[in-house]
Amino acid sequence: MTTFTPGPAAELDLRRALGTFATGVTVVTTMAPHGPCGITANSFSSVSLDPPLVLWSVGRESDRYGLFSSARFTAIHVLAESQYGLARRFARKGSDFDGVDWELGAEQVPLLEGCLSRFECELAADHEGGDHRILISRVHRVTLAPGTPLVFSGGHFGRFATAV
């Protein structure tokens, strides 16, 4: 066991410690002036059932920061284990929708097909969060499908297995 104080000299240790918390994987989409745009995010969380609110965070150093931090409407897609390729694609490049099965939603936001769940959202609040911006959105529509989630932990993608 290692104990340390977070700071510039221990940034890698902090990243490794945070990586011990397994998360689901999402792709957040919006419509940009140049066309559809997506970004992979594992910072997704529920906030409230009444009203229906969710949050995710976008890194300030991302080339898509300005677009997503100012987007009124987004869709958050919880990926199935078979959608590893989408997670990798949108982690690298946000405008690469070639060959991706998608359609425009009611608010003209790209909606990806085949996800476990999809939340069509409108920005409700945003907050400073250090090197990220915390975006809280009100959920307007939800699509839900059966399947197994894609999981991220320790810098790697994987699958969920029940303990018992």
mmCIF file with all atom_site columns, all heavy atoms in Angstrom, residues 27-30 68 73-77 109-112 118-121:
data_model
loop_
_atom_site.group_PDB
_atom_site.id
_atom_site.type_symbol
_atom_site.label_atom_id
_atom_site.label_alt_id
_atom_site.label_comp_id
_atom_site.label_asym_id
_atom_site.label_entity_id
_atom_site.label_seq_id
_atom_site.pdbx_PDB_ins_code
_atom_site.Cartn_x
_atom_site.Cartn_y
_atom_site.Cartn_z
_atom_site.occupancy
_atom_site.B_iso_or_equiv
_atom_site.pdbx_formal_charge
_atom_site.auth_seq_id
_atom_site.auth_comp_id
_atom_site.auth_asym_id
_atom_site.auth_atom_id
_atom_site.pdbx_PDB_model_num
ATOM 1   N N   . VAL A 1 27  ? -20.255 7.589  -25.048 1.00 0.00 ? 27  VAL A N   1
ATOM 2   C CA  . VAL A 1 27  ? -19.897 8.530  -26.099 1.00 0.00 ? 27  VAL A CA  1
ATOM 3   C C   . VAL A 1 27  ? -20.960 9.617  -26.052 1.00 0.00 ? 27  VAL A C   1
ATOM 4   O O   . VAL A 1 27  ? -22.161 9.326  -26.104 1.00 0.00 ? 27  VAL A O   1
ATOM 5   C CB  . VAL A 1 27  ? -19.850 7.872  -27.492 1.00 0.00 ? 27  VAL A CB  1
ATOM 6   C CG1 . VAL A 1 27  ? -19.745 8.924  -28.588 1.00 0.00 ? 27  VAL A CG1 1
ATOM 7   C CG2 . VAL A 1 27  ? -18.675 6.900  -27.589 1.00 0.00 ? 27  VAL A CG2 1
ATOM 8   N N   . VAL A 1 28  ? -20.514 10.851 -25.919 1.00 0.00 ? 28  VAL A N   1
ATOM 9   C CA  . VAL A 1 28  ? -21.411 11.997 -25.910 1.00 0.00 ? 28  VAL A CA  1
ATOM 10  C C   . VAL A 1 28  ? -21.356 12.612 -27.304 1.00 0.00 ? 28  VAL A C   1
ATOM 11  O O   . VAL A 1 28  ? -20.263 12.787 -27.865 1.00 0.00 ? 28  VAL A O   1
ATOM 12  C CB  . VAL A 1 28  ? -20.994 13.028 -24.841 1.00 0.00 ? 28  VAL A CB  1
ATOM 13  C CG1 . VAL A 1 28  ? -22.000 14.172 -24.785 1.00 0.00 ? 28  VAL A CG1 1
ATOM 14  C CG2 . VAL A 1 28  ? -20.853 12.360 -23.478 1.00 0.00 ? 28  VAL A CG2 1
ATOM 15  N N   . THR A 1 29  ? -22.529 12.932 -27.857 1.00 0.00 ? 29  THR A N   1
ATOM 16  C CA  . THR A 1 29  ? -22.577 13.522 -29.196 1.00 0.00 ? 29  THR A CA  1
ATOM 17  C C   . THR A 1 29  ? -23.324 14.851 -29.169 1.00 0.00 ? 29  THR A C   1
ATOM 18  O O   . THR A 1 29  ? -24.167 15.093 -28.301 1.00 0.00 ? 29  THR A O   1
ATOM 19  C CB  . THR A 1 29  ? -23.278 12.593 -30.207 1.00 0.00 ? 29  THR A CB  1
ATOM 20  O OG1 . THR A 1 29  ? -24.611 12.311 -29.759 1.00 0.00 ? 29  THR A OG1 1
ATOM 21  C CG2 . THR A 1 29  ? -22.505 11.301 -30.397 1.00 0.00 ? 29  THR A CG2 1
ATOM 22  N N   . THR A 1 30  ? -23.003 15.687 -30.139 1.00 0.00 ? 30  THR A N   1
ATOM 23  C CA  . THR A 1 30  ? -23.712 16.936 -30.385 1.00 0.00 ? 30  THR A CA  1
ATOM 24  C C   . THR A 1 30  ? -23.516 17.290 -31.852 1.00 0.00 ? 30  THR A C   1
ATOM 25  O O   . THR A 1 30  ? -22.744 16.633 -32.557 1.00 0.00 ? 30  THR A O   1
ATOM 26  C CB  . THR A 1 30  ? -23.221 18.067 -29.450 1.00 0.00 ? 30  THR A CB  1
ATOM 27  O OG1 . THR A 1 30  ? -24.171 19.138 -29.464 1.00 0.00 ? 30  THR A OG1 1
ATOM 28  C CG2 . THR A 1 30  ? -21.846 18.570 -29.830 1.00 0.00 ? 30  THR A CG2 1
ATOM 29  N N   . PHE A 1 68  ? -18.284 21.120 -26.778 1.00 0.00 ? 68  PHE A N   1
ATOM 30  C CA  . PHE A 1 68  ? -19.157 20.442 -25.821 1.00 0.00 ? 68  PHE A CA  1
ATOM 31  C C   . PHE A 1 68  ? -19.497 21.314 -24.613 1.00 0.00 ? 68  PHE A C   1
ATOM 32  O O   . PHE A 1 68  ? -20.591 21.198 -24.067 1.00 0.00 ? 68  PHE A O   1
ATOM 33  C CB  . PHE A 1 68  ? -18.559 19.103 -25.391 1.00 0.00 ? 68  PHE A CB  1
ATOM 34  C CG  . PHE A 1 68  ? -18.794 18.031 -26.399 1.00 0.00 ? 68  PHE A CG  1
ATOM 35  C CD1 . PHE A 1 68  ? -17.804 17.692 -27.305 1.00 0.00 ? 68  PHE A CD1 1
ATOM 36  C CD2 . PHE A 1 68  ? -20.009 17.375 -26.472 1.00 0.00 ? 68  PHE A CD2 1
ATOM 37  C CE1 . PHE A 1 68  ? -18.019 16.720 -28.264 1.00 0.00 ? 68  PHE A CE1 1
ATOM 38  C CE2 . PHE A 1 68  ? -20.245 16.399 -27.428 1.00 0.00 ? 68  PHE A CE2 1
ATOM 39  C CZ  . PHE A 1 68  ? -19.249 16.067 -28.327 1.00 0.00 ? 68  PHE A CZ  1
ATOM 40  N N   . PHE A 1 73  ? -27.679 21.044 -26.549 1.00 0.00 ? 73  PHE A N   1
ATOM 41  C CA  . PHE A 1 73  ? -28.239 19.693 -26.591 1.00 0.00 ? 73  PHE A CA  1
ATOM 42  C C   . PHE A 1 73  ? -27.138 18.672 -26.840 1.00 0.00 ? 73  PHE A C   1
ATOM 43  O O   . PHE A 1 73  ? -26.242 18.906 -27.657 1.00 0.00 ? 73  PHE A O   1
ATOM 44  C CB  . PHE A 1 73  ? -29.292 19.566 -27.698 1.00 0.00 ? 73  PHE A CB  1
ATOM 45  C CG  . PHE A 1 73  ? -30.500 20.419 -27.466 1.00 0.00 ? 73  PHE A CG  1
ATOM 46  C CD1 . PHE A 1 73  ? -30.674 21.607 -28.163 1.00 0.00 ? 73  PHE A CD1 1
ATOM 47  C CD2 . PHE A 1 73  ? -31.464 20.049 -26.533 1.00 0.00 ? 73  PHE A CD2 1
ATOM 48  C CE1 . PHE A 1 73  ? -31.794 22.402 -27.953 1.00 0.00 ? 73  PHE A CE1 1
ATOM 49  C CE2 . PHE A 1 73  ? -32.586 20.845 -26.310 1.00 0.00 ? 73  PHE A CE2 1
ATOM 50  C CZ  . PHE A 1 73  ? -32.744 22.021 -27.017 1.00 0.00 ? 73  PHE A CZ  1
ATOM 51  N N   . THR A 1 74  ? -27.214 17.558 -26.136 1.00 0.00 ? 74  THR A N   1
ATOM 52  C CA  . THR A 1 74  ? -26.289 16.440 -26.330 1.00 0.00 ? 74  THR A CA  1
ATOM 53  C C   . THR A 1 74  ? -27.062 15.138 -26.191 1.00 0.00 ? 74  THR A C   1
ATOM 54  O O   . THR A 1 74  ? -28.184 15.114 -25.677 1.00 0.00 ? 74  THR A O   1
ATOM 55  C CB  . THR A 1 74  ? -25.157 16.442 -25.280 1.00 0.00 ? 74  THR A CB  1
ATOM 56  O OG1 . THR A 1 74  ? -25.736 16.386 -23.975 1.00 0.00 ? 74  THR A OG1 1
ATOM 57  C CG2 . THR A 1 74  ? -24.267 17.668 -25.405 1.00 0.00 ? 74  THR A CG2 1
ATOM 58  N N   . ALA A 1 75  ? -26.424 14.074 -26.618 1.00 0.00 ? 75  ALA A N   1
ATOM 59  C CA  . ALA A 1 75  ? -26.925 12.729 -26.345 1.00 0.00 ? 75  ALA A CA  1
ATOM 60  C C   . ALA A 1 75  ? -25.778 11.949 -25.715 1.00 0.00 ? 75  ALA A C   1
ATOM 61  O O   . ALA A 1 75  ? -24.637 12.016 -26.190 1.00 0.00 ? 75  ALA A O   1
ATOM 62  C CB  . ALA A 1 75  ? -27.406 12.050 -27.618 1.00 0.00 ? 75  ALA A CB  1
ATOM 63  N N   . ILE A 1 76  ? -26.082 11.254 -24.640 1.00 0.00 ? 76  ILE A N   1
ATOM 64  C CA  . ILE A 1 76  ? -25.074 10.464 -23.937 1.00 0.00 ? 76  ILE A CA  1
ATOM 65  C C   . ILE A 1 76  ? -25.429 9.000  -24.156 1.00 0.00 ? 76  ILE A C   1
ATOM 66  O O   . ILE A 1 76  ? -26.533 8.565  -23.818 1.00 0.00 ? 76  ILE A O   1
ATOM 67  C CB  . ILE A 1 76  ? -25.053 10.808 -22.435 1.00 0.00 ? 76  ILE A CB  1
ATOM 68  C CG1 . ILE A 1 76  ? -24.758 12.305 -22.249 1.00 0.00 ? 76  ILE A CG1 1
ATOM 69  C CG2 . ILE A 1 76  ? -24.018 9.948  -21.712 1.00 0.00 ? 76  ILE A CG2 1
ATOM 70  C CD1 . ILE A 1 76  ? -24.954 12.810 -20.834 1.00 0.00 ? 76  ILE A CD1 1
ATOM 71  N N   . HIS A 1 77  ? -24.494 8.259  -24.746 1.00 0.00 ? 77  HIS A N   1
ATOM 72  C CA  . HIS A 1 77  ? -24.705 6.861  -25.126 1.00 0.00 ? 77  HIS A CA  1
ATOM 73  C C   . HIS A 1 77  ? -23.876 5.950  -24.236 1.00 0.00 ? 77  HIS A C   1
ATOM 74  O O   . HIS A 1 77  ? -22.651 6.055  -24.238 1.00 0.00 ? 77  HIS A O   1
ATOM 75  C CB  . HIS A 1 77  ? -24.273 6.644  -26.579 1.00 0.00 ? 77  HIS A CB  1
ATOM 76  C CG  . HIS A 1 77  ? -24.895 7.608  -27.535 1.00 0.00 ? 77  HIS A CG  1
ATOM 77  N ND1 . HIS A 1 77  ? -24.413 8.894  -27.707 1.00 0.00 ? 77  HIS A ND1 1
ATOM 78  C CD2 . HIS A 1 77  ? -25.952 7.476  -28.365 1.00 0.00 ? 77  HIS A CD2 1
ATOM 79  C CE1 . HIS A 1 77  ? -25.161 9.513  -28.606 1.00 0.00 ? 77  HIS A CE1 1
ATOM 80  N NE2 . HIS A 1 77  ? -26.097 8.679  -29.017 1.00 0.00 ? 77  HIS A NE2 1
ATOM 81  N N   . VAL A 1 109 ? -29.433 16.298 -32.773 1.00 0.00 ? 109 VAL A N   1
ATOM 82  C CA  . VAL A 1 109 ? -28.220 15.735 -32.177 1.00 0.00 ? 109 VAL A CA  1
ATOM 83  C C   . VAL A 1 109 ? -28.029 14.333 -32.734 1.00 0.00 ? 109 VAL A C   1
ATOM 84  O O   . VAL A 1 109 ? -29.000 13.580 -32.854 1.00 0.00 ? 109 VAL A O   1
ATOM 85  C CB  . VAL A 1 109 ? -28.347 15.702 -30.633 1.00 0.00 ? 109 VAL A CB  1
ATOM 86  C CG1 . VAL A 1 109 ? -27.220 14.924 -30.002 1.00 0.00 ? 109 VAL A CG1 1
ATOM 87  C CG2 . VAL A 1 109 ? -28.386 17.116 -30.081 1.00 0.00 ? 109 VAL A CG2 1
ATOM 88  N N   . PRO A 1 110 ? -26.798 13.950 -33.075 1.00 0.00 ? 110 PRO A N   1
ATOM 89  C CA  . PRO A 1 110 ? -26.554 12.591 -33.566 1.00 0.00 ? 110 PRO A CA  1
ATOM 90  C C   . PRO A 1 110 ? -26.879 11.551 -32.487 1.00 0.00 ? 110 PRO A C   1
ATOM 91  O O   . PRO A 1 110 ? -26.428 11.665 -31.344 1.00 0.00 ? 110 PRO A O   1
ATOM 92  C CB  . PRO A 1 110 ? -25.057 12.574 -33.875 1.00 0.00 ? 110 PRO A CB  1
ATOM 93  C CG  . PRO A 1 110 ? -24.635 14.001 -33.908 1.00 0.00 ? 110 PRO A CG  1
ATOM 94  C CD  . PRO A 1 110 ? -25.583 14.754 -33.046 1.00 0.00 ? 110 PRO A CD  1
ATOM 95  N N   . LEU A 1 111 ? -27.649 10.537 -32.870 1.00 0.00 ? 111 LEU A N   1
ATOM 96  C CA  . LEU A 1 111 ? -28.010 9.439  -31.971 1.00 0.00 ? 111 LEU A CA  1
ATOM 97  C C   . LEU A 1 111 ? -27.393 8.155  -32.516 1.00 0.00 ? 111 LEU A C   1
ATOM 98  O O   . LEU A 1 111 ? -27.705 7.727  -33.627 1.00 0.00 ? 111 LEU A O   1
ATOM 99  C CB  . LEU A 1 111 ? -29.533 9.288  -31.880 1.00 0.00 ? 111 LEU A CB  1
ATOM 100 C CG  . LEU A 1 111 ? -30.309 10.529 -31.434 1.00 0.00 ? 111 LEU A CG  1
ATOM 101 C CD1 . LEU A 1 111 ? -31.813 10.248 -31.461 1.00 0.00 ? 111 LEU A CD1 1
ATOM 102 C CD2 . LEU A 1 111 ? -29.850 10.989 -30.063 1.00 0.00 ? 111 LEU A CD2 1
ATOM 103 N N   . LEU A 1 112 ? -26.494 7.551  -31.732 1.00 0.00 ? 112 LEU A N   1
ATOM 104 C CA  . LEU A 1 112 ? -25.829 6.319  -32.135 1.00 0.00 ? 112 LEU A CA  1
ATOM 105 C C   . LEU A 1 112 ? -26.747 5.134  -31.876 1.00 0.00 ? 112 LEU A C   1
ATOM 106 O O   . LEU A 1 112 ? -27.455 5.090  -30.871 1.00 0.00 ? 112 LEU A O   1
ATOM 107 C CB  . LEU A 1 112 ? -24.521 6.144  -31.354 1.00 0.00 ? 112 LEU A CB  1
ATOM 108 C CG  . LEU A 1 112 ? -23.529 7.296  -31.429 1.00 0.00 ? 112 LEU A CG  1
ATOM 109 C CD1 . LEU A 1 112 ? -22.320 6.998  -30.558 1.00 0.00 ? 112 LEU A CD1 1
ATOM 110 C CD2 . LEU A 1 112 ? -23.114 7.571  -32.862 1.00 0.00 ? 112 LEU A CD2 1
ATOM 111 N N   . ARG A 1 118 ? -29.430 5.388  -24.017 1.00 0.00 ? 118 ARG A N   1
ATOM 112 C CA  . ARG A 1 118 ? -29.119 6.672  -24.646 1.00 0.00 ? 118 ARG A CA  1
ATOM 113 C C   . ARG A 1 118 ? -29.978 7.728  -23.965 1.00 0.00 ? 118 ARG A C   1
ATOM 114 O O   . ARG A 1 118 ? -31.183 7.549  -23.799 1.00 0.00 ? 118 ARG A O   1
ATOM 115 C CB  . ARG A 1 118 ? -29.422 6.614  -26.132 1.00 0.00 ? 118 ARG A CB  1
ATOM 116 C CG  . ARG A 1 118 ? -29.133 7.891  -26.869 1.00 0.00 ? 118 ARG A CG  1
ATOM 117 C CD  . ARG A 1 118 ? -29.331 7.731  -28.365 1.00 0.00 ? 118 ARG A CD  1
ATOM 118 N NE  . ARG A 1 118 ? -30.706 7.383  -28.683 1.00 0.00 ? 118 ARG A NE  1
ATOM 119 C CZ  . ARG A 1 118 ? -31.044 6.553  -29.670 1.00 0.00 ? 118 ARG A CZ  1
ATOM 120 N NH1 . ARG A 1 118 ? -30.131 5.968  -30.413 1.00 0.00 ? 118 ARG A NH1 1
ATOM 121 N NH2 . ARG A 1 118 ? -32.311 6.304  -29.908 1.00 0.00 ? 118 ARG A NH2 1
ATOM 122 N N   . PHE A 1 119 ? -29.335 8.818  -23.564 1.00 0.00 ? 119 PHE A N   1
ATOM 123 C CA  . PHE A 1 119 ? -30.003 9.901  -22.862 1.00 0.00 ? 119 PHE A CA  1
ATOM 124 C C   . PHE A 1 119 ? -29.941 11.145 -23.740 1.00 0.00 ? 119 PHE A C   1
ATOM 125 O O   . PHE A 1 119 ? -28.846 11.660 -23.994 1.00 0.00 ? 119 PHE A O   1
ATOM 126 C CB  . PHE A 1 119 ? -29.322 10.175 -21.519 1.00 0.00 ? 119 PHE A CB  1
ATOM 127 C CG  . PHE A 1 119 ? -29.286 8.966  -20.624 1.00 0.00 ? 119 PHE A CG  1
ATOM 128 C CD1 . PHE A 1 119 ? -28.262 8.035  -20.730 1.00 0.00 ? 119 PHE A CD1 1
ATOM 129 C CD2 . PHE A 1 119 ? -30.277 8.745  -19.687 1.00 0.00 ? 119 PHE A CD2 1
ATOM 130 C CE1 . PHE A 1 119 ? -28.224 6.911  -19.917 1.00 0.00 ? 119 PHE A CE1 1
ATOM 131 C CE2 . PHE A 1 119 ? -30.252 7.628  -18.872 1.00 0.00 ? 119 PHE A CE2 1
ATOM 132 C CZ  . PHE A 1 119 ? -29.224 6.706  -18.990 1.00 0.00 ? 119 PHE A CZ  1
ATOM 133 N N   . GLU A 1 120 ? -31.085 11.624 -24.203 1.00 0.00 ? 120 GLU A N   1
ATOM 134 C CA  . GLU A 1 120 ? -31.139 12.854 -24.985 1.00 0.00 ? 120 GLU A CA  1
ATOM 135 C C   . GLU A 1 120 ? -31.356 13.990 -24.002 1.00 0.00 ? 120 GLU A C   1
ATOM 136 O O   . GLU A 1 120 ? -32.335 13.999 -23.252 1.00 0.00 ? 120 GLU A O   1
ATOM 137 C CB  . GLU A 1 120 ? -32.246 12.778 -26.024 1.00 0.00 ? 120 GLU A CB  1
ATOM 138 C CG  . GLU A 1 120 ? -31.987 11.694 -27.062 1.00 0.00 ? 120 GLU A CG  1
ATOM 139 C CD  . GLU A 1 120 ? -33.113 11.540 -28.049 1.00 0.00 ? 120 GLU A CD  1
ATOM 140 O OE1 . GLU A 1 120 ? -33.386 12.519 -28.799 1.00 0.00 ? 120 GLU A OE1 1
ATOM 141 O OE2 . GLU A 1 120 ? -33.732 10.464 -28.067 1.00 0.00 ? 120 GLU A OE2 1
ATOM 142 N N   . CYS A 1 121 ? -30.426 14.942 -23.988 1.00 0.00 ? 121 CYS A N   1
ATOM 143 C CA  . CYS A 1 121 ? -30.334 15.905 -22.889 1.00 0.00 ? 121 CYS A CA  1
ATOM 144 C C   . CYS A 1 121 ? -30.255 17.349 -23.357 1.00 0.00 ? 121 CYS A C   1
ATOM 145 O O   . CYS A 1 121 ? -29.837 17.638 -24.478 1.00 0.00 ? 121 CYS A O   1
ATOM 146 C CB  . CYS A 1 121 ? -29.061 15.628 -22.091 1.00 0.00 ? 121 CYS A CB  1
ATOM 147 S SG  . CYS A 1 121 ? -28.949 13.971 -21.416 1.00 0.00 ? 121 CYS A SG  1
#
